[in-house]
Amino acid sequence: MLTSHDGLCGIGELAERAGVTVKTVRFYSDRGLLPEAARSAGGHRRYGSDALGRLRLIRSLRALGLSVPQVRRVLEEDAAGGEGGREGGALEDAVAGRLRELGSELRSLRWREAALRLVQECPPGERAERLSVIGGVSLPPSTDPLVRFWRGWLPPRMPARSVRAFLEVAVPQPPDDPAPAQVLAFAHLNALTLAPCPGTARPQPEAHRAAGARGAAVLYAGLAEAYELAGVQMRRGRDPRPGEALDSFVDAYTGAYGTRDSPNFRRRLAGQLADDPRIDRYWDLVTEVVTEPGRRPEPTPGSAHDWLLAALVGQTGAPAPSAV
């Protein structure tokens, strides 16, 4: 660095060597990132021999998107040689935080791109309705409305751990890089959970009343296992049938009701489940959200339940359910 006889340089020289403007150097100086070594007789800033390297480091950190407070912590740790904590910890934390932010930003951009394609490919007469639906989804997309919907569905006072376990399987996570059809399905799902179900404010299955909060916890834990077993059969393209999955399904209800499995119980259960309110539209949309375009539909708790109920109806001869 070119310096004067006192080993210091002015703000203009420092800015020129660093390839920045004087205004930039002044900005970092005023915020304490680039301390001046002295002032000239005329009050001009003077910088030491380490200022150029420090300024270049500041520019590199800022180019990565780090905030001024984050840059300050990195510089302070660098000056202290990592004393009082893990060496490089401030930089690692800042970079990790920035990566999380970028991930969220990129996800939002992918969703926005897919939403724009939905509008672009939509017939003019349908654009107003489509804009209204996709406009109700936050970016990045949030599952909060879906969680609130299911918390209202589940029995009151159901153990928190059981509620969390159920939500993990009932609430689909929006794909990071969605196809336009997946964005539209999630937007419709979001709208569905924000409005009452058709015909009733919030339909409830008979099992909630019969089993109670504690029994419902047992029920949903058993159903999760049955749905997983049914999903294996569904991925193989098999039609509803008796077997391990159906037995597990029935066991979930006997455990919740505190009764034994029997042909008579299965007939009564089939009739009860056939008459229960249904939210097929929710599960149809979930299937669209979680299934990549062109792939075989992924089983969901809703489609697995339908498969198991069909197997139970077929085994017992009970009337088939009607969708709501």
Side-chain angles (χ1 to χ4, degrees):
M1 178 186 295
L2 297 177
T3 59
S4 61
H5 62 86
D6 59 2
L8 304 178
C9 72
I11 190 171
E13 182 182 352
L14 177 59
E16 182 179 358
R17 293 304 300 258
V20 299
T21 64
V22 169
K23 183 178 180 181
T24 297
V25 177
R26 187 177 295 114
F27 174 86
Y28 292 134
S29 292
D30 290 344
R31 280 153 184 78
L33 301 183
L34 191 65
E36 56 197 61
R39 291 267 180 157
S40 68
H44 299 293
R45 305 172 196 247
R46 309 284 288 170
Y47 296 91
S49 59
D50 63 339
L52 180 59
R54 187 179 179 92
L55 180 54
R56 285 173 173 166
L57 176 58
I58 292 170
R59 289 191 65 202
S60 296
L61 296 173
R62 291 286 285 163
L64 292 174
L66 272 62
S67 65
V68 169
Q70 289 173 322
V71 171
R72 178 178 291 108
R73 286 193 289 272
V74 172
L75 293 174
E76 290 173 349
E77 183 181 82
D78 184 63
E83 295 179 5
R86 69 187 192 282
E87 187 173 357
L91 180 58
E92 289 179 7
D93 292 344
V95 169
R98 185 59 184 143
L99 284 172
R100 287 192 296 271
E101 292 171 0
L102 283 175
S104 179
E105 292 169 13
L106 289 171
R107 191 178 182 213
S108 295
L109 287 173
R110 294 188 191 104
W111 273 76
R112 183 170 287 117
E113 179 186 20
L116 287 169
R117 293 192 185 282
L118 275 175
V119 176
Q120 184 182 51
E121 298 165 2
C122 180
E126 299 177 11
R127 283 179 179 165
E129 186 273 339
R130 185 160 294 186
L131 283 169
S132 175
V133 171
I134 63 177
V137 179
S138 61
L139 290 178
S142 171
T143 58
D144 288 349
L146 282 65
V147 170
R148 287 194 295 269
F149 174 86
W150 284 114
R151 287 190 182 278
W153 165 279
L154 294 171
R157 296 179 297 281
M158 185 170 163
R161 183 172 61 179
S162 299
V163 172
R164 289 194 298 270
F166 175 82
L167 292 176
E168 285 181 5
V169 297
V171 176
Q173 293 305 308
D176 291 335
D177 190 7
Q182 289 174 298
V183 170
L184 184 59
F186 188 84
H188 280 300
L189 193 60
N190 182 78
L192 176 68
T193 57
L194 290 174
C197 290
T200 178
R202 188 60 55 89
Q204 296 286 319
E206 173 63 19
H208 289 184
R209 184 195 65 77
R214 295 291 173 181
V218 174
L219 172 63
Y220 282 111
L223 289 178
E225 181 178 349
Y227 294 158
E228 186 174 346
L229 292 171
V232 173
Q233 301 298 317
M234 295 169 70
R235 291 186 182 94
R236 293 173 180 171
R238 294 180 177 173
D239 293 332
R241 64 187 67 189
E244 182 184 10
L246 180 57
D247 291 343
S248 178
F249 183 64
V250 174
D251 287 347
Y253 285 95
T254 58
Y257 295 163
T259 188
R260 288 185 174 185
D261 186 9
S262 68
N264 187 50
F265 175 80
R266 292 194 178 211
R267 282 192 295 272
R268 287 189 286 107
L269 178 63
Q272 172 195 313
L273 297 180
D275 291 336
D276 270 346
R278 300 163 61 80
I279 46 176
D280 290 342
R281 177 60 174 161
Y282 179 93
W283 295 115
D284 289 344
L285 291 170
V286 169
T287 299
E288 293 182 47
V289 170
V290 301
T291 303
E292 295 182 19
R295 298 288 187 90
R296 180 192 293 271
E298 279 293 317
T300 66
S303 61
H305 184 93
D306 289 345
W307 190 95
L308 290 162
L309 178 53
L312 184 62
V313 167
Q315 184 185 61
T316 62
S322 58
V324 173

